[in-house]
Amino acid sequence: MVKTKIVIDYSKCGNATGGIDPRQCSKCLQACDPAVFVRHMAFNVKEDNPYDPQYWQITPVWLSLCTHCGKCVKACPQKAITVSF
Amino acid sequence: MCDWCMKHGAGGKWYLNARNYSYELAEAMNLQAYLEEQWKNFEQVYIRKIMGISSIGLGYKLRMPIIGRVIRRAVEGMIHSESKNRNPVRADGHFGQVIPIEEAKLIMLNLAAEPIIQNYCMCRLMQKGIKDVCCINFGVLSTVIEKLPRFIPENTKVRLSRDEAAAALEEQNRKGRVATVWFQPVPYICAICSCETPQCGGLRLRMDFGLHTVYKAEYYAEVNPDLCQGCKTCVASCQFGAIRFSPTLKRVLIDPTKCFGCGLCRDRCPHDAIRLLPRNENPLLRGKY
Ligand code: SF4
Ligand code: SF4
Ligand code: SF4
Ligand code: SF4
């Protein structure tokens, strides 16, 4: 089974890890017709509070539905996304 | 929906049973705290590992021999869970059904518990980054969501009267969205969404992975060949790919096995050529939700 891999460089996107706040951008969400990405609160950034609504990141969730169109890669102003097999 | 109407329908459809909307039920199920915990981290439901697996790459996981079937059974069990010790970090007992607009309005006008609110569609927000005032929540869930600013629309009325909520659903129907009513968690009912594939999480799991997060409606659509003028308006309104135009017959064909019974094609047809019929009166479709 060939599986799609999508990697996000969280040092470029994700405001808990030194990147931008994806809520200010979200271009990948809008570019992707099959809606592969999910924007969500970053996990366990603080030990006492696993859900801090201040920190957000993008996760490619529905990998099997990616059509390799490359639109997200082109749309990302941070050049944070790579799509491969 | 045979099983769920049998258990929670009091002799009729589960979503027309007033008890499933009541504060007594919410209290007996201790839902305030549960829903607060669940909604605080709503977006993480796909990302979290539950029993060692998350939804990331779910399509590949389901295709694995043997393990795929085990995962499918585990997810279906979770979605339909009626167990007392539900886990608020996952979608335990959260599933819904497509309903035509007249039933959505009937629920809004007669059954939904107040307060009724409108808020951003969480699915569209987390999957598209689009702020769309769309979901109608009611009862305990309204008071939970009202405390979460990211779902609350700016410069828009949040609490709605019954008439306003029914009108809001009508407006979504006109835009082409499918009305769905939700257990959360079963048997408590606290939301009517206006869904669109592929952003809607429920429809995604149903359409792309065959999981029963959203059931087909109690109805299916049928076209009257004598009335259809072949204008194709209905084709564009179907999100489920159930209608096609036949150039030979110069009219449309509806595939009843694909039809979810949302009624959007009927609502859009300028010639009243489509009607909804009860699913359970058709021997082929009976019980096929
Ligand atoms: S390559 Fe295309 S389909 Fe795949 S994630 Fe990017 S935008 Fe979506
Ligand atoms: S397009 Fe790039 S920078 Fe923008 S939210 Fe997506 S991953 Fe982050
Ligand atoms: S909208 Fe009505 S008249 Fe037009 S093609 Fe569909 S069924 Fe026929
Ligand atoms: S055929 Fe009509 S009723 Fe059936 S799913 Fe399509 S739009 Fe809805």
Side-chain angles (χ1 to χ4, degrees):
Chain A
M1 182 165 38
V2 184
K3 293 186 192 173
T4 296
K5 280 195 207 79
I6 302 179
V7 178
I8 307 236
D9 182 344
Y10 289 117
S11 70
K12 294 177 180 163
C13 180
N15 58 341
T17 42
I20 63 151
D21 183 341
R23 287 174 299 174
Q24 311 304 325
C25 170
S26 299
K27 295 230 159 50
C28 51
L29 303 186
Q30 279 143 23
C32 180
D33 283 349
V36 166
F37 300 95
V38 170
R39 189 181 75 186
H40 60 94
M41 270 178 255
F43 229 170
N44 293 331
V45 176
K46 284 195 215 141
E47 266 174 30
D48 55 333
N49 182 8
Y51 344 104
D52 187 333
Q54 214 188 320
Y55 297 114
W56 291 75
Q57 69 180 40
I58 302 279
T59 297
V61 172
W62 311 113
L63 297 167
S64 64
L65 302 170
C66 169
T67 61
H68 283 251
C69 68
K71 286 187 193 137
C72 56
V73 177
K74 258 187 242 138
C76 178
Q78 299 291 105
K79 301 207 183 322
I81 308 174
T82 41
V83 180
S84 62
F85 282 115
Chain B
M1 278 198 308
C2 306
D3 287 0
W4 306 103
C5 294
M6 219 67 107
K7 277 201 222 167
H8 303 296
K13 294 172 184 149
W14 62 273
Y15 53 81
L16 297 181
N17 179 6
R19 183 176 183 271
N20 296 343
Y21 295 83
S22 68
Y23 269 92
E24 292 75 52
L25 179 67
E27 222 157 276
M29 292 170 76
N30 195 16
L31 288 186
Q32 184 83 33
Y34 175 83
L35 289 171
E36 261 167 31
E37 186 62 23
Q38 187 171 60
W39 280 77
K40 175 160 97 169
N41 61 84
F42 186 86
E43 293 90 341
Q44 290 175 346
V45 75
Y46 297 136
I47 317 295
R48 267 178 184 275
K49 281 203 169 140
I50 294 165
M51 295 176 282
I53 53 157
S54 74
S55 296
I56 298 170
L58 183 65
Y60 298 129
K61 291 175 184 168
L62 290 174
R63 266 181 247 158
M64 286 191 286
I66 306 165
I67 301 170
R69 257 186 294 162
V70 173
I71 295 175
R72 181 175 293 278
R73 215 173 310 136
V75 178
E76 290 280 11
M78 182 183 84
I79 300 167
H80 298 94
S81 168
E82 293 198 70
S83 106
K84 290 257 172 321
N85 32 20
R86 290 192 172 90
N87 185 342
V89 300
R90 48 195 218 200
D92 280 10
H94 184 32
F95 60 97
Q97 188 174 15
V98 170
I99 46 173
I101 186 64
E102 60 276 21
E103 288 188 338
K105 280 162 58 182
L106 184 122
I107 290 170
M108 258 17 282
L109 295 174
N110 302 291
L111 292 162
E114 289 181 79
I116 298 167
I117 65 164
Q118 59 176 352
N119 50 267
Y120 291 142
C121 164
M122 354 299 168
C123 296
R124 237 159 263 155
L125 196 56
M126 68 179 167
Q127 291 247 247
K128 279 279 154 190
I130 292 171
K131 289 182 169 175
D132 196 348
V133 188
C134 160
C135 296
I136 308 281
N137 288 289
F138 31 88
V140 174
L141 187 55
S142 293
T143 61
V144 169
I145 293 179
E146 274 182 330
K147 289 184 218 138
L148 299 168
R150 67 187 188 281
F151 298 130
I152 298 301
E154 296 128 43
N155 314 318
T156 311
K157 204 169 160 195
V158 175
R159 288 204 178 192
L160 301 180
S161 70
R162 292 184 181 280
D163 287 329
E164 285 168 337
L169 288 171
E170 180 86 57
E171 175 63 28
Q172 290 296 331
N173 170 286
R174 243 175 276 128
K175 283 189 186 164
R177 264 97 184 235
V178 174
T180 51
V181 60
W182 294 87
F183 277 132
Q184 191 174 355
V186 56
Y188 186 62
I189 304 171
C190 50
I192 293 186
C193 295
S194 294
C195 299
E196 189 183 327
T197 183
Q199 300 93 298
C200 163
L203 286 177
R204 157 127 295 167
L205 293 174
R206 173 74 200 247
M207 306 300 289
D208 296 318
F209 305 116
L211 293 160
H212 290 81
T213 38
V214 182
Y215 286 84
K216 292 177 176 176
E218 299 295 330
Y219 310 94
Y220 69 100
E222 185 186 80
V223 63
N224 181 333
D226 298 329
L227 295 177
C228 176
Q229 307 294 310
C231 70
K232 305 179 199 158
T233 312
C234 56
V235 181
S237 73
C238 184
Q239 291 195 32
F240 302 98
I243 317 181
R244 70 171 266 270
F245 173 75
S246 161
T248 306
L249 302 172
K250 297 187 186 62
R251 65 172 176 90
V252 295
L253 304 168
I254 299 182
D255 180 346
T257 62
K258 282 191 189 160
C259 171
F260 269 63
C262 67
L264 282 170
C265 53
R266 171 205 59 178
D267 300 334
R268 292 299 91 76
C269 175
H271 303 283
D272 264 335
I274 298 177
R275 57 181 183 152
L276 291 182
L277 298 171
R279 178 171 298 276
N280 278 338
E281 287 174 20
N282 178 312
L284 176 72
L285 304 175
R286 181 180 303 145
K288 302 252 169 63
Y289 292 98

